[in-house]
Amino acid sequence: MITDFGQQALLSIVSHLVFIGVAWWAIQALQIEKIIKKNHVVQARLLYIILSIVLGSAVSNFFLDYLLWSKQLPALLP
């Protein structure tokens, strides 16, 4: 039982990190530099990081919820 919690925690951590990384990679395709003021490089980088975390966490939570729900489906059968 306790190992299930450990496995779930590890899966959640890995999932979040992977999807944050994928979000970072995807956001690099946007040209946000055109709307950022000149000489605000630090703020632009921070914006990239925050957007990556928000987007990656949202996608990861969706993935983890979907996985949990799919594990609970057998409970519908008598």
Side-chain angles (χ1 to χ4, degrees):
M1 177 106 172
I2 292 178
T3 58
D4 290 339
F5 289 125
Q7 291 173 351
Q8 182 71 25
L10 181 62
L11 178 65
S12 297
I13 290 169
V14 170
S15 173
H16 274 71
L17 290 176
V18 166
F19 283 112
I20 289 171
V22 169
W24 174 265
W25 175 73
I27 288 173
Q28 297 299 312
L30 298 175
Q31 293 182 349
I32 296 180
E33 296 84 15
K34 291 183 178 180
I35 60 172
I36 301 294
K37 294 179 183 178
K38 289 186 176 185
N39 300 323
H40 287 83
V41 177
V42 175
Q43 289 94 339
R45 288 182 182 166
L46 184 61
L47 180 62
Y48 273 122
I49 292 169
I50 292 171
L51 286 175
S52 298
I53 292 170
V54 168
L55 184 61
S57 295
V59 173
S60 179
N61 283 330
F62 170 78
F63 171 76
L64 292 170
D65 285 343
Y66 192 84
L67 183 64
L68 176 67
W69 297 331
S70 67
K71 286 183 178 180
Q72 292 174 347
L73 281 176
L76 287 174
L77 301 174

